[in-house]
């Protein structure tokens, strides 16, 4: 995977991915797959990526300088924190499971309820959330503005230097660089031996059982909303409804959007336990069980589920993300 | 003292004169001639993307598109085009354009929401349609395998035929352009549901799964019809055209005013130069006898 560093060219990763796919050699039958390979190149400004990486790990974005974006989106842990719910400043436990930052540039919206249209918009959210970083732009700029080296870096990259929109832009650009091609992507590009026979079987089952109806596209999800509990009453069975369970309803106030969430990407899913917005499924096995019961509304033999899990594991990125 | 007062008065008059020139200059700079092409280009882009959305919805409905990335991409592109259009600040050209722009924004918001609902509905429908043949076969197998306590095959009159009829009618419905056959399928299914109590446990469980998916297909098929009708009625194209027309008219008006200001500035500038030339010339003639 090559992150092409081109000066001055901002990237809309999803648009770039689809454009590049048109020029990427691949066997004809694989182009018609419901899951698409990640692009082999993403054009981003190297200086913005570098600056964004620095800010992504900068704890000064939080009120008490205790947490950074990387605290919840740990790049060494699949872009998540491995917790059921995120931890904010002062040890506050958040209301929702942390989605992965890996390949987030390919999501059509950000956050579980899709309230942010772009990564730039999303980057501002946790900074201002009292339960997460608990800060604001005035405080952040005040702290970062005293860092002469950082101010100089910003001036070198952005004409107007250290500004909130530039902080958001650089973080978002860095996040767009977090692309994790997997063995399955090599399979989609024609390397038929890139995945095992069981993983191939698992992919076929993933399609046959209908998992692919929602988990499709270049990010194996992330491009639509769906009700959690299509063919079964997940929330009725689980009980203890919280604000986070309202999903998209929190944004639109439309009853039709109650319990509707952005379908998460399944890339690197083997690394991002626990699962679902409520972190209720501690393992992939448990998550697959819930999906069959409440989303697919059908039973399946254990062997089929095991093969599907094998396939899901083949979606793990092959190269480590450098911190 | 008189001379100082006269000097100050002249200065004030000169300042006022140049201030007027300055105002006229600013007026001529208010209109950005490139904005016409930019705005029209953005409106054309929106129209194009909207048309692509309509096409991709149909391609997803018919299964030609195997994923929703095309629709998701179009949603993002529409958002970007809207941001670019908002950055043009049309209301500074003519405040009444704000209303037309807002109407377009509202229409696009409704359309994008319907696209989101379509994706969710379409996925559920496809999933259940893919499964019902398997579910029907599984149910019939359970029926064939059903035994009473004495080990004799259990007969449930009409169930196997009912399953086939429901399956065939549902698949026919799915292939049809609309949900006109929903009532028929519901009728057949309800008669099978009415006898649910008579089914052996294993058959009953399998029947519940089958029926659940059939009910889901029927509901989603009706929903699909509603969504497509709603999408077709959202006046995105009309609002784009209305805004384009209103913008064009406002721009022409502003352009005429711009020309008027330009001519006024040029005329006034020439007048000022003439006055200055006259003034300096007169001062020069007054000073000359003294110098002589």
């Amino acid at each position: 995977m090559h992150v092409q560093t081109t000066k001055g060219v901002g990237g809309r990763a999803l648009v770039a991915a689809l454009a590049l796919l048109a020029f990427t050699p691949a066997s004809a039958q694989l182009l018609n797959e419901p899951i698409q390979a990640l692009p082999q190149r993403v054009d981003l400004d190297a200086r913005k990526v570098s600056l964004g990486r620095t800010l992504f790990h900068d704890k000064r974005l939080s009120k008490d300088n205790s947490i950074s974006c990387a605290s919840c989106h740990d790049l060494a842990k699949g872009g998540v924190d491995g917790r059921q719910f995120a931890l904010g400043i002062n040890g506050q436990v958040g209301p929702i499971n942390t989605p992965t930052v890996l390949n987030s540039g390919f999501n059509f919206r950000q956050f579980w309820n899709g309230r942010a249209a772009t990564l730039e918009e999303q980057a501002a959210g946790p900074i201002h959330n009292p339960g997460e970083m608990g800060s604001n732009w005035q405080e952040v700029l005040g702290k970062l503005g005293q860092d002469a080296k950082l101010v100089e870096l910003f001036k070198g990259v952005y004409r107007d230097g250290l500004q909130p929109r530039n902080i958001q832009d650089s973080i978002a650009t860095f996040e767009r660089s977090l692309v994790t091609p997997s063995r399955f992507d090599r399979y989609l590009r024609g390397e038929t031996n890139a995945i095992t026979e069981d993983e191939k079987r698992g992919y076929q089952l993933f399609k046959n059982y209908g998992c692919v109806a929602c988990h499709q596209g270049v990010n194996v999800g992330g491009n639509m909303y769906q009700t959690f509990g299509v063919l079964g009453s997940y929330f009725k069975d689980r009980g203890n409804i919280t604000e986070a369970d309202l999903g998209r309803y929190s944004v639109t106030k439309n009853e039709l959007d109650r319990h509707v969430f952005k379908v998460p990407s399944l890339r690197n899913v083997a690394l991002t336990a626990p699962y679902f917005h409520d972190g209720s499924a501690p393992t992939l096995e448990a998550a697959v069980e819930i999906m069959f019961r409440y989303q697919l509304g059908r039973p399946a033999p254990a062997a089929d589920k095991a093969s599907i899990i094998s396939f899901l594991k083949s979606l793990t990125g092959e190269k480590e993300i450098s911190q | 003292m008189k001379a100082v007062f006269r000097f100050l008065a002249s200065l004030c008059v000169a300042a006022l004169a140049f201030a007027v020139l300055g105002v006229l200059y600013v007026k001529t700079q208010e209109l950005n001639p490139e904005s016409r092409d930019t705005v029209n280009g953005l409106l054309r882009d929106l129209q194009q993307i909207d048309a692509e959305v309509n096409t991709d919805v149909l391609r997803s409905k018919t299964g030609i598109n195997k994923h929703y990335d095309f629709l998701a991409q179009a949603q993002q592109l529409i958002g970007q085009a809207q941001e670019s259009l908002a950055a043009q600040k049309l209301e500074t050209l003519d405040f009444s354009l704000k209303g037309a722009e807002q109407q377009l924004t509202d229409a696009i918001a409704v359309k994008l929401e319907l696209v989101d609902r379509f994706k969710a509905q379409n996925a559920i429908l496809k999933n259940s349609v893919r499964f019902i043949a398997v579910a029907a076969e599984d149910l019939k197998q359970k029926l064939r395998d059903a035994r009473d306590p004495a080990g004799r095959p259990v007969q449930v009159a009409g169930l196997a035929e009912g399953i086939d009829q429901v399956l065939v009618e549902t698949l026919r419905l799915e292939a049809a352009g609309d949900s006109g056959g929903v009532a028929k399928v519901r009728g057949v299914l309800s008669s099978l549901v009415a006898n649910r109590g008579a089914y052996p446990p294993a058959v009953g469980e399998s029947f519940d799964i089958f029926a659940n998916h059939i009910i889901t297909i029927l509901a989603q098929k009706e929903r699909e019809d509603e969504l497509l009708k709603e999408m077709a009625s959202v006046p995105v194209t009309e609002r784009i055209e209305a805004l384009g027309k209103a913008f064009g008219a406002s721009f022409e008006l502003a352009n005429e005013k711009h020309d008027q200001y330009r001519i006024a500035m040029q005329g006034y500038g020439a007048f000022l130069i003439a006055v200055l030339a006259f003034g300096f010339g007169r001062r020069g003639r007054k000073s000359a006898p003294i110098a002589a």
Side-chain angles (χ1 to χ4, degrees):
Chain A
M1 170 69 201
H2 174 59
V3 176
Q4 179 74 15
T5 51
T6 311
K7 224 179 176 182
V9 177
R12 293 288 180 192
L14 181 58
V15 176
L18 289 170
L20 283 168
L21 277 169
F23 298 98
T24 304
S27 62
Q29 74 263 25
L30 293 174
L31 279 175
N32 204 23
E33 289 293 323
I35 296 177
Q36 296 288 297
L38 285 171
Q40 288 179 298
R41 205 180 79 230
V42 181
D43 286 329
L44 297 166
D45 186 326
R47 300 169 308 159
K48 287 185 183 180
V49 170
S50 174
L51 187 52
R53 177 183 284 113
T54 302
L55 289 166
F56 190 83
H57 292 87
D58 197 328
K59 293 182 179 179
R60 290 174 293 183
L61 296 184
S62 60
K63 191 174 189 69
D64 61 358
N65 303 326
S66 66
I67 62 172
S68 66
C69 309
S71 302
C72 295
H73 298 287
D74 190 340
L75 301 183
K77 291 182 182 174
V80 297
D81 51 15
R83 300 175 50 84
Q84 183 180 12
F85 299 126
L87 266 186
I89 57 168
N90 304 321
Q92 293 176 88
V93 177
I96 207 160
N97 182 261
T98 304
T100 182
V101 70
L102 301 181
N103 306 298
S104 55
F106 298 106
N107 290 335
F108 87 129
R109 304 282 295 193
Q110 306 297 333
F111 295 117
W112 280 102
N113 59 15
R115 65 182 181 273
T118 62
L119 282 172
E120 286 80 357
E121 203 180 318
Q122 187 282 332
I127 290 173
H128 291 84
N129 188 331
E132 295 182 59
M133 289 171 153
S135 189
N136 56 64
W137 283 129
Q138 197 177 358
E139 277 180 16
V140 169
L141 288 177
K143 283 187 265 183
L144 298 186
Q146 288 170 25
D147 185 334
K149 191 178 168 195
L150 193 64
V151 169
E152 206 52 43
L153 278 173
F154 264 94
K155 277 192 185 139
V157 178
Y158 297 96
R159 207 174 45 177
D160 49 352
L162 183 64
Q163 297 290 336
R165 64 174 169 273
N166 298 336
I167 293 173
Q168 289 169 261
D169 183 70
S170 60
I171 291 175
T173 304
F174 167 66
E175 288 169 345
R176 286 196 180 91
S177 75
L178 300 174
V179 183
T180 64
S182 62
R183 285 185 297 114
F184 187 69
D185 290 288
R186 286 197 281 122
Y187 170 74
L188 288 174
R189 291 188 192 287
E191 279 185 53
T192 47
N193 294 329
I195 59 175
T196 65
E197 287 308 310
D198 189 43
E199 288 163 347
K200 285 177 197 169
R201 179 173 177 269
Y203 177 48
Q204 195 57 46
L205 291 168
F206 189 80
K207 288 191 283 187
N208 292 348
Y209 278 114
C211 314
V212 85
C214 295
H215 294 286
Q216 32 63 47
V218 73
N219 213 13
V220 201
N223 60 6
M224 60 181 284
Y225 299 113
Q226 190 53 275
T227 305
F228 193 7
V230 170
L231 285 153
S233 306
Y234 173 80
F235 290 99
K236 192 177 161 198
D237 290 349
R238 193 203 71 188
N240 189 31
I241 307 296
T242 66
E243 178 85 22
D245 296 326
L246 298 177
R248 190 115 181 94
Y249 174 82
S250 305
V251 178
T252 65
K253 305 300 178 203
N254 187 329
E255 277 301 323
L256 291 174
D257 289 331
R258 204 172 273 270
H259 305 318
V260 169
F261 298 88
K262 185 187 75 192
V263 172
S265 164
L266 293 184
R267 287 190 176 278
N268 299 294
V269 70
L271 308 176
T272 59
Y275 303 104
F276 307 135
H277 73 289
D278 57 4
S280 61
T283 63
L284 258 183
E285 287 75 10
V288 166
E289 281 295 331
I290 288 174
M291 285 288 105
F292 267 93
R293 188 168 165 196
Y294 293 105
Q295 297 302 96
L296 301 178
R298 57 190 288 189
D304 285 1
K305 290 176 187 171
S307 292
I308 287 174
I309 289 172
S310 293
F311 156 67
L312 292 176
K313 288 177 179 172
S314 77
L315 295 173
T316 302
E318 288 191 278
K319 289 191 188 139
E320 231 176 82
I321 298 284
S322 59
Q323 301 273 355
Chain B
M1 192 62 189
K2 232 183 184 176
V4 169
F5 178 73
R6 212 181 296 160
F7 174 73
L8 283 173
S10 306
L11 211 59
C12 285
V13 168
L16 193 65
F18 278 99
V20 169
L21 185 66
V23 165
L24 286 173
Y25 175 75
V26 165
K27 286 289 183 191
T28 60
Q29 299 303 300
E30 272 177 359
L31 182 68
N32 177 5
E34 288 174 3
S35 67
R36 172 156 52 183
D37 289 341
T38 304
V39 170
N40 285 337
L42 286 169
L43 292 176
R44 266 196 310 274
D45 286 345
L46 277 170
Q47 207 152 24
Q48 173 69 28
I49 300 166
D50 183 55
E52 282 169 12
V53 164
N54 295 337
T55 304
D56 279 319
V57 161
L58 291 175
R59 289 168 68 95
S60 292
K61 175 179 170 342
T62 54
I64 296 173
N65 281 356
K66 299 279 185 247
H67 54 82
Y68 299 117
D69 277 353
F70 298 107
L71 277 173
Q73 177 193 1
Q75 286 174 288
Q76 288 188 309
L77 288 174
I78 285 179
Q80 287 166 31
Q82 279 187 289
E83 266 179 40
S84 301
L85 189 63
Q88 295 300 310
K89 297 199 190 305
L90 300 182
E91 65 275 12
T92 56
L93 180 72
D94 181 347
F95 192 74
S96 68
L97 290 175
K98 199 176 167 74
E101 194 182 350
Q102 188 58 50
Q103 286 194 330
L104 173 60
T105 301
D106 292 344
I108 288 175
V110 168
K111 181 81 174 265
L112 292 183
E113 192 182 316
L114 289 172
V115 169
D116 282 334
R117 296 201 192 290
F118 166 78
K119 284 186 280 181
Q121 164 273 322
N122 184 252
I124 297 169
L125 179 62
K126 275 195 308 205
N127 188 32
S128 287
V129 165
R130 193 199 315 264
F131 175 56
I132 50 166
V134 170
E137 193 46 48
D138 181 65
L139 176 52
K140 287 194 289 185
Q141 185 60 50
K142 291 268 182 356
L143 190 57
R144 285 190 287 272
D145 294 343
R147 296 285 183 271
D148 64 16
R152 288 182 299 244
V154 171
Q155 302 291 335
V156 182
L159 181 56
E161 297 79 7
I163 292 166
D164 283 338
Q165 190 180 3
V166 166
L167 177 64
V168 165
E169 291 301 329
T170 304
L171 291 174
R172 196 173 280 159
L173 172 72
E174 165 47 26
D178 57 40
S179 58
V182 166
K184 185 175 180 184
V185 178
R186 272 209 180 104
V188 179
L189 184 66
S190 58
S191 65
L192 297 180
V193 170
N195 293 330
R196 169 67 176 83
Y199 305 155
V203 173
E205 275 174 26
S206 196
F207 175 81
D208 289 342
I209 292 172
F210 175 71
N212 203 7
H213 279 272
I214 296 294
I215 291 166
T216 298
I217 290 171
L218 300 180
Q220 293 305 323
K221 194 68 189 163
E222 284 177 321
R223 185 73 189 117
E224 181 179 82
D225 268 2
E226 283 167 16
L227 279 171
L228 293 176
K229 279 189 187 119
E230 281 179 54
M231 259 192 257
S233 71
V234 179
V236 171
T237 303
E238 291 86 340
R239 299 268 168 94
I240 290 172
E241 285 170 359
L243 180 57
K245 224 173 176 176
F247 171 75
S250 296
F251 192 89
E252 277 312 309
L253 215 66
N255 205 25
E256 278 172 25
K257 268 194 189 153
H258 169 266
D259 284 344
Q260 286 166 2
Y261 278 123
R262 186 175 48 82
I263 292 166
M265 185 187 71
Q266 286 167 351
Y268 185 74
F271 168 72
L272 270 186
I273 290 170
V275 165
L276 280 171
F278 176 75
F280 279 122
R282 213 175 139 199
R283 194 176 278 271
R285 280 197 296 279
K286 271 189 183 168
S287 305
I290 297 166

